[in-house]
Amino acid sequence: MTSSTVVVAVAAAYLVACLVIGILPGRRSSASAEGFVAGDRSLGTLVMYFITGATIFSAFAFLGMPGWAYSRGVAALYVLGYGALGFVPFYFLGPRAARLGKRYGFVTQAEMVAARYSSRGIAAAMALISTLAFVPYLALQMKGAGYVLNAMTRGAVSEELGAAIVYAVVVAYVTTSGVLGVGWTNTFQGLFMMVLAWVFGLYLPHRLYGGVGPMFERIAAERPELLVPPGLDKDGATPWTWGEYSSAVLVSIAGFSFWPHLFMKAFSARDENTLRRTVVLYPTFQVFLVPILFLGFSGVLFEPGPEKADQILPHVLMNLELPSIAVGLFCAGALAASMSSGDAMAHATASILVRDGAVTAFGWRPSARVERRVIRIVLVLVVLASYLVSVRYQGALVALLLYAYGPVTQFAPAVVATLFWRRATGAGVLAGLVAGIAVNILFAARPDLRPVGLHAGLYGLAVNVLVLAAVSLATPRDAGADEFLTAAREGDGS
Amino acid sequence: MRHALLAGYAAVCLLAITWPGYAALGVGPRPFVLGVPFVVVWNLGWVLASFGVLVLYHRAGRADRSARSRPSAGGRDEGAR
């Protein structure tokens, strides 16, 4: 019989370890906002690898993806698919952004875009869109943490209390150490997740079916529809359309490199080669999704099923009579997945709201210490807002993820034009952003209005590109474009 | 040349992991490869192929940059510190 006390003890020990690992690096960073937001541009390849990998493999990967494999079969493979190309644009964008960051002192994506056009409106729009994308994504992480602690303690800890405990730890180390705390805890959490995913991903199919092969044989015999591409729709019964599957892959590829918390790492890296190596190594992190897929499929024929598909993993583990320490370790691994994304998002949202919103858009000029203190206060407020969303939201984890990709994808034209297109103008970029996000919100809220069943973010992206190009060509050339792009290109050759 | 090859690979990969390439496979629950459905191997294969292509592209780029910087910086990679 699994003891809740042991499970909670293992999870608590893990949280303490994260707290210690997260707080210690804060002593090394400078007291400035640049130290807090960009880690004084000191991160090497190892930390960058785990910070990008663990940041992306969130509660969605540990709970939502198995939930999809369980309820929608090979539809979950879309995550593996977009990972093949999703980070490639960063190979070209990252070094250019890093050069500009060093030269002009940028620490956020919007700061860089707004500076090229001297546009406060762009900074404000990007800060707003970032918040629209981050709050639901952060809420997803909290919901995942709450699910896990609730299931693993057999209801002794409510979902709300579980999420609150975990994110109190996150707030503690992020407010203390900034991005350095995020980096070192992500390295620890990334390694921890990888080991646990492989151990449980091979163990569960073996325990339930006698191995991975026999598991898929039984699924092919009893639920063959789960293994037919592109998988099942959200009702878990009818086939998903190729249009929706392909657009989920496309919007994820288009948005992946432009997540502000990920893009900001271009300003944290020690040098350009560190960024390039991180992109090259990134697909190896995707391999870690394979055992997670096995975990989800292992629950397909498990009776009785869970109340919600996202709870399949904790549900199976709690009903297998595993040793308490093993269940506690899984619980810690799932918390790692939630925390390793949530910490970077909370840190990025607060940094963006202060640097892009208050400083760049509204012209506030605080001292470095005051700015750092305000970022910490905003971080707590962002976590509280996300917590309220997570408590109220009752849908599937993956729906929150796919929603968040729509707004983020709208950054792609603005960032690419800023780094590569001389003729782009501030008016064009701002008009593109506003038009893109408006179309995205319209089709996300009213899917019945879409001409064909593609992701709302793709419609927004198409309109965004057209408006950016048309308005840029119709407005006067930007005087500072040459100097900015020359600085971005220096030593290029990728 | 290496830029064109990378762009070509990205286009082929994109078509292979979405419609129409992925759909054209026309596979069902079977066949299996090493006990795993072929569709899983197909998607994983593209992830691994991307890793291999990026390694080659990166190495070629490093050689290019090294050759360009040789007259002024004695062959030192500009990105390496």
Side-chain angles (χ1 to χ4, degrees):
Chain A
M1 181 66 189
T2 305
S3 157
S4 294
T5 313
V6 175
V7 173
V8 171
V10 174
Y14 178 78
L15 290 176
V16 170
C18 287
L19 197 59
V20 173
I21 293 169
I23 284 176
L24 287 179
R27 298 177 179 186
R28 291 207 323 266
S29 73
S30 69
S32 66
E34 188 164 312
F36 189 79
V37 180
D40 298 317
R41 307 182 199 279
S42 64
L43 301 185
T45 305
L46 178 75
V47 176
M48 282 294 290
Y49 174 70
F50 280 105
I51 215 171
T52 49
T55 295
I56 290 153
F57 291 109
S58 60
F60 161 72
F62 236 78
L63 298 170
M65 194 173 164
W68 259 40
Y70 164 75
S71 60
R72 302 180 62 172
V74 291
L77 287 174
Y78 99 86
V79 185
L80 204 55
Y82 82 70
L85 292 176
F87 210 24
V88 175
F90 201 69
Y91 191 95
F92 305 96
L93 301 167
R96 285 193 170 211
R99 273 173 225 139
L100 292 166
K102 268 189 186 160
R103 175 154 177 173
Y104 297 108
F106 304 140
V107 291
T108 72
Q109 186 184 45
E111 221 175 8
M112 178 189 81
V113 176
R116 171 170 160 185
Y117 311 104
S118 305
S119 168
R120 293 181 173 194
I122 290 176
M126 290 183 78
L128 189 65
I129 295 170
S130 298
T131 310
L132 279 177
F134 273 133
V135 168
Y137 205 172
L138 189 50
L140 182 162
Q141 311 310 326
M142 294 181 172
K143 217 162 176 52
Y147 277 167
V148 170
L149 275 182
N150 176 257
M152 296 305 192
T153 58
R154 297 189 190 276
V157 176
S158 69
E159 287 183 16
E160 292 79 9
L161 179 62
I165 293 169
V166 173
Y167 276 80
V169 172
V170 169
V171 166
Y173 70 69
V174 180
T175 51
T176 306
S177 302
V179 77
L180 289 182
V182 172
W184 284 107
T185 49
N186 280 191
T187 305
F188 171 62
Q189 289 165 328
L191 280 166
F192 194 74
M193 280 191 288
M194 278 178 163
V195 172
L196 281 181
W198 279 108
V199 169
F200 280 98
L202 296 177
Y203 174 73
L204 274 195
H206 175 76
R207 167 89 183 251
L208 292 168
Y209 306 92
V212 171
M215 173 180 79
F216 280 117
E217 289 289 353
R218 278 198 53 195
I219 294 172
E222 296 179 38
R223 295 286 311 277
E225 71 278 11
L226 287 171
L227 300 181
V228 178
L232 300 178
D233 207 338
K234 60 184 168 216
D235 61 6
T238 51
W240 206 11
T241 65
W242 277 108
E244 291 195 358
Y245 179 90
S246 300
S247 69
V249 174
L250 283 172
V251 82
S252 304
I253 290 173
F256 195 82
S257 292
F258 301 94
W259 273 105
H261 63 307
L262 188 61
F263 198 91
M264 281 163 68
K265 302 304 172 288
F267 305 120
S268 314
R270 189 180 299 152
D271 55 47
E272 293 171 20
N273 252 358
T274 298
L275 288 172
R276 292 191 186 104
R277 277 196 296 265
T278 305
V279 175
V280 171
L281 290 171
Y282 173 75
T284 61
F285 224 99
Q286 290 286 107
V287 177
F288 146 82
L289 290 176
V290 173
I292 290 184
L293 270 176
F294 294 167
L295 285 171
F297 278 114
S298 71
V300 168
L301 302 175
F302 189 84
E303 294 291 345
E307 206 175 297
K308 290 179 181 171
D310 290 331
Q311 294 167 337
I312 183 64
L313 266 189
H315 175 80
V316 170
L317 287 168
M318 289 306 287
N319 285 285
L320 272 184
E321 302 298 329
L322 292 173
S324 302
I325 193 117
V327 177
L329 283 171
F330 171 79
C331 181
L335 295 183
S338 163
M339 293 165 76
S340 62
S341 301
D343 56 10
M345 284 170 206
H347 172 265
T349 315
S351 306
I352 287 164
L353 280 172
V354 175
R355 293 286 294 204
D356 304 336
V359 175
T360 310
F362 293 102
W364 184 47
R365 293 284 173 266
S367 69
R369 279 184 184 277
V370 169
E371 188 179 345
R372 185 167 170 147
R373 196 176 311 138
V374 171
I375 293 175
R376 286 174 167 147
I377 294 167
V378 172
L379 191 146
V380 176
L381 295 175
V382 165
V383 169
L384 281 175
S386 305
Y387 180 73
L388 290 177
V389 172
S390 83
V391 169
R392 287 176 171 271
Y393 181 74
Q394 294 302 323
L397 295 180
V398 75
L400 279 174
L401 177 78
L402 271 172
Y403 158 76
Y405 260 102
V408 163
T409 304
Q410 307 315 317
F411 291 150
V415 172
V416 172
T418 297
L419 292 175
F420 291 91
W421 193 32
R422 198 170 299 273
R423 192 60 188 81
T425 66
V429 168
L430 185 58
L433 275 172
V434 172
I437 196 69
V439 169
N440 175 66
I441 289 173
L442 172 69
F443 286 141
R446 292 285 310 273
D448 53 303
L449 295 178
R450 293 175 301 172
V452 287
L454 300 178
H455 191 287
L458 283 184
Y459 288 105
L461 182 64
V463 170
N464 187 338
V465 170
L466 290 174
V467 171
L468 188 157
V471 175
S472 290
L473 292 172
T475 45
R477 270 174 195 276
D478 189 8
D482 284 336
E483 186 192 341
F484 192 92
L485 286 177
T486 304
R489 240 189 359 246
E490 269 169 14
D492 216 351
S494 296
Chain B
M1 180 63 175
R2 65 192 177 93
H3 299 311
L5 287 174
L6 181 68
Y9 167 78
V12 170
C13 178
L14 192 61
L15 291 174
I17 56 175
T18 57
W19 184 90
Y22 187 25
L25 283 180
V27 292
R30 294 172 192 282
F32 283 8
V33 178
L34 300 171
V36 177
F38 179 71
V39 287
V40 176
V41 177
W42 175 260
N43 282 280
L44 180 63
W46 283 104
V47 170
L48 296 175
S50 292
F51 173 59
V53 168
L54 283 170
V55 167
L56 294 174
Y57 180 82
H58 181 64
R59 289 173 71 98
R62 224 170 37 185
D64 276 1
R65 285 189 295 275
S66 189
R68 269 206 310 273
S69 61
R70 197 164 294 135
S72 56
R76 186 164 164 260
D77 185 337
E78 50 74 34
R81 303 244 196 294

